[in-house]
């Protein structure tokens, strides 16, 4: 009987460390994104709105805030899956690790798309085309991964999994 209790305690400890680490990186990323947003506002007020580089900065800031949100979703999801239920809205409730992976993959797709736009604004047409093809292949692979994972999960679900 001590083994299951020990494993439960280990599970809680591991997940609490993960949630604490994600919470710290979430707050750090939020401060970083906010600082970049304040710097961009200063640049825009000083006339930087006329430069393409400002648009790239804006996209990078949006990217950082999206990272913050996904980090928060993963931290809450891990806590809810492995430690205790939280009073979260239905759209934020996580039922399995696959949902957390999909959140991360969805974020990666957005980040890759933003990085493509940044590159497109700063590159020649030939570079943009080859980078776009590589970007599309990576996005297709990620979307296929999540679709395959979702299909596999539905095939093997049990009444308890619902």
């Amino acid at each position: 009987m001590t083994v299951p209790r020990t494993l439960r305690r280990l599970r809680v400890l591991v997940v609490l460390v993960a949630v604490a680490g994600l919470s710290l990186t979430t707050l750090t990323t939020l401060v970083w994104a906010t600082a970049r947003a304040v710097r961009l506002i200063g640049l825009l007020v000083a006339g930087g709105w006329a430069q393409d580089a400002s648009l790239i900065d804006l996209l990078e800031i949006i990217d950082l805030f999206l990272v913050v949100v996904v980090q928060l979703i993963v931290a809450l999801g891990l806590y809810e899956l492995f430690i205790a239920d939280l009073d979260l809205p239905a759209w934020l409730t996580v039922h399995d690790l696959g949902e957390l992976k999909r959140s991360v993959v969805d974020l990666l797709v957005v980040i890759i798309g933003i990085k493509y736009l940044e590159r497109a604004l700063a590159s020649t047409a030939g570079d943009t085309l080859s980078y776009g093809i590589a970007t599309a292949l990576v996005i297709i692979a990620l979307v296929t991964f999540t679709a395959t994972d979702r299909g596999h999960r539905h095939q093997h679900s049990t009444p308890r999994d619902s």
Side-chain angles (χ1 to χ4, degrees), residues 95 157-162:
H95 298 89
S157 64
T158 63
R160 224 176 113 200
D161 293 334
S162 317

Side-chain angles (χ1 to χ4, degrees), residues 14-115:
V14 167
V15 173
L16 283 177
V17 169
V19 169
L22 278 168
S23 298
L24 289 174
T25 60
T26 300
L27 290 173
T28 303
T29 308
L30 179 62
V31 169
W32 178 23
T34 303
R36 297 240 359 228
V38 168
R39 190 180 84 209
L40 177 62
I41 291 168
L43 178 69
L44 293 174
V45 168
W49 53 268
Q51 302 169 4
D52 284 345
S54 297
L55 180 59
I56 292 171
D57 287 342
L58 177 62
L59 292 173
E60 289 174 347
I61 291 167
I62 291 169
D63 188 31
L64 283 173
F65 281 117
L66 287 172
V67 169
V68 169
V69 171
V70 171
Q71 285 177 300
L72 180 61
I73 289 169
V74 171
L76 292 171
L78 286 173
Y79 187 90
E80 190 167 47
L81 282 175
F82 292 100
I83 297 176
D85 285 335
L86 299 170
D87 186 23
L88 298 173
W91 62 268
L92 193 52
T93 302
V94 175
H95 298 89
D96 59 47
L97 285 174
E99 290 180 23
L100 290 178
K101 286 192 291 187
R102 280 189 295 281
S103 295
V104 173
V105 169
D106 290 348
L107 173 68
L108 286 173
V109 168
V110 171
I111 289 171
I112 291 167
I114 289 172
K115 293 299 179 191

